[in-house]
Structures are given as structure tokens and as C-alpha cells.
Amino acid sequence: MPSRPQNGKDNDRMEFLLTLRRRGISDQAVLRAMDEVPRCDFVEGEFADRAYADQALPIECGQTISQPYVVAYMTEQLALSPHHRVLEVGTGSGYQAAVLSRLAREVVSIERYRTLAEQARARLAALGYDNVEVVVGDGFAGVPEKAPYDRIIVTAAAEQVPQALLEQLADDGGVMILPLGPRDGPQHIIKLTKSQTEISGENLIAVRFVPLLPGQAQEL
Ligand code: SAH
């Protein structure tokens, strides 16, 4: 039977999924979400040809869209269910929020740059991902008015776990995933699980993230 003709873009997207599988992502729902969300719509024009390479890429305001493997890995570690409400800190391009929106009931994402938040909002709306709310503000404070969250994901590196985020995590098995470590030093993904009596932690893979900076950005 003749196979469907492949253009370069299809090949890139097939290779993209193969790379994620090869690197160990095995959750079918996560792979489906990674397949469904067009990363090319979240990168700047000049980087469009690298949208499906397994690389972080520059976005506006000196920030980055995370590497697809790291997005898939952190998403897989969150073990999302369709009824979950999720807080993301560090909207950036909106890509990670888009992936989360395919797997959870509701996503609240907070970004300190108004420019990035507005662009992300527009992209998410254009794709019809209407269960994501993008908020401008300081992620160190979280978004308390919408707490508690079943899951929290931080996509910029902090030196310590922000206390407000821990408080906003549900205490019935809530999970928070975040990169911890110094700005230019070794960082690791940490997974925290919260119950009524304790918070347990697990050290996962080594990563490289832009820093979590205090306060809403004064520049746009
Ligand atoms: N999740 C993003 C990756 C963004 S990079 C994506 O999928 O594209 C990290 C983002 O965190 C940057 O946009 C940066 O501006 C933002 N950030 C850093 N410190 C923050 C803070 N305190 N509150 C909210 N956002 C913050």
C-alpha cells in the first residue's frame, strides 16, 4: 500500500517523538500531548526550522522555551489526571502550559514579563486551549486565590523551594516538580509529594534552567 507522502515537517515531528521515546518517555498520554501541541507555533520565526529539534531555544525577554525532552520528562513525573488543577510558574512561550492543558482539567500559569504572558495568551487562544489562564505576577508568591493545586510545576530554577508554593500544594498527595540549584551551577529536578503529615522529596535528573527571579518584571 502506498504510504502517505512525507514532507520535511512531518519527518521532523516523527523524529521528535522518536527522540522522546528513545530518551525514555513512555507515558502514552504524555507522548500524545507532545505530538498534538505544535511547538512551531511557540518559537520565534527565525528559529522555526529548529522547532522540533530537542533543544531549548531563545524567546523574547532573554528567556528560553525549554527543551522538549525536559518538558515531556517533567510532565510525565507530574502523573497528571484529567481532573487535576495545575499551577505552572514561568509561562515563557506558553508551550509547557499547552502540553499540561491537554492532560489536566485546568492550568493556571504565572509569568513575570507582561510581554511573554500576553504572547502566550494569544497563542493558547489561537490554538483553542481554553483551559489555561495566564497571570502576570511573581511566581514566588504563587496564585493563592486559586489554590490549592493538585500539581505545581516550576520552569525556572530556584535555590530553595518557594514556601508559598508549598503552601498552595494540595495536601492529599499533591506533587510539585521544580529545578533547584544556583544560577550558573548544577541544578536538579526535584519532586516533592505532600500529604497531611509530611512532605517527601526525590532528586531526579540534572538540568539547566534560567533563574527564577523575584518580583514582577519592571521592564515589559
Ligand atoms: N515554561 C516555559 C519556559 C519558560 S523559561 C515554556 O514552555 O516556554 C522560564 C520563565 O520563567 C521565563 O519566562 C521567566 O520570565 C519566568 N520567570 C522567572 N522568574 C519568575 C517569577 N518569579 N515569576 C514568574 N515567572 C518567572
Side-chain angles (χ1 to χ4, degrees):
M1 212 164 66
S3 61
R4 192 163 64 97
Q6 293 284 327
N7 64 29
K9 273 206 172 114
D10 284 344
N11 279 332
D12 285 358
R13 290 186 74 159
M14 257 173 22
E15 190 58 39
F16 173 81
L17 279 184
L18 274 174
T19 301
L20 295 177
R21 284 179 189 276
R22 217 179 287 128
R23 294 201 62 181
I25 305 300
S26 61
D27 184 313
Q28 289 306 314
V30 172
L31 288 165
R32 215 177 306 124
M34 295 295 295
D35 188 24
E36 194 180 317
V37 176
R39 192 168 186 256
C40 54
D41 289 357
F42 292 84
V43 301
E44 303 293 326
E46 61 189 296
F47 298 108
D49 59 335
R50 281 193 262 162
Y52 294 99
D54 194 21
Q55 304 176 342
L57 294 171
I59 56 173
E60 284 198 44
C61 306
Q63 304 303 311
T64 53
I65 175 172
S66 308
Q67 182 190 348
Y69 167 67
V70 175
V71 171
Y73 180 83
M74 290 175 85
T75 305
E76 187 170 57
Q77 289 296 326
L78 281 177
L80 290 163
S81 291
H83 66 272
H84 280 156
R85 298 183 58 255
V86 185
L87 173 67
E88 179 194 24
V89 175
T91 314
S93 67
Y95 179 67
Q96 171 78 71
V99 172
L100 297 170
S101 79
R102 304 300 79 207
L103 298 162
R105 175 155 65 94
E106 187 187 339
V107 179
V108 177
S109 184
I110 182 165
E111 168 57 52
R112 65 191 290 276
Y113 284 100
R114 184 169 297 281
T115 304
L116 290 176
E118 282 171 0
Q119 287 177 349
R121 239 181 239 141
R123 288 180 178 127
L124 293 161
L127 289 164
Y129 298 160
D130 56 11
N131 58 340
V132 185
E133 184 182 350
V134 179
V135 177
V136 181
D138 180 7
F140 273 103
V143 184
E145 54 280 18
K146 308 237 167 194
Y149 303 97
D150 303 297
R151 300 289 185 262
I152 298 180
I153 175 171
V154 184
T155 64
E159 303 228 1
Q160 286 173 357
V161 182
Q163 187 58 32
L165 298 184
L166 263 188
E167 284 164 14
Q168 289 166 37
L169 187 62
D171 64 6
D172 57 355
V175 174
M176 170 150 63
I177 303 274
L178 75 168
L180 271 195
R183 183 187 280 242
D184 290 312
Q187 302 169 356
H188 283 87
I189 299 283
I190 309 293
K191 176 175 177 174
L192 301 173
T193 305
K194 184 176 172 186
S195 73
Q196 279 166 11
T197 51
E198 61 167 18
I199 292 166
S200 60
E202 206 182 320
N203 218 337
L204 305 172
I205 58 171
V207 283
R208 200 67 202 248
F209 273 86
V210 294
L212 191 69
L213 297 172
Q216 188 181 322
Q218 291 312 302
E219 59 276 46
L220 286 178

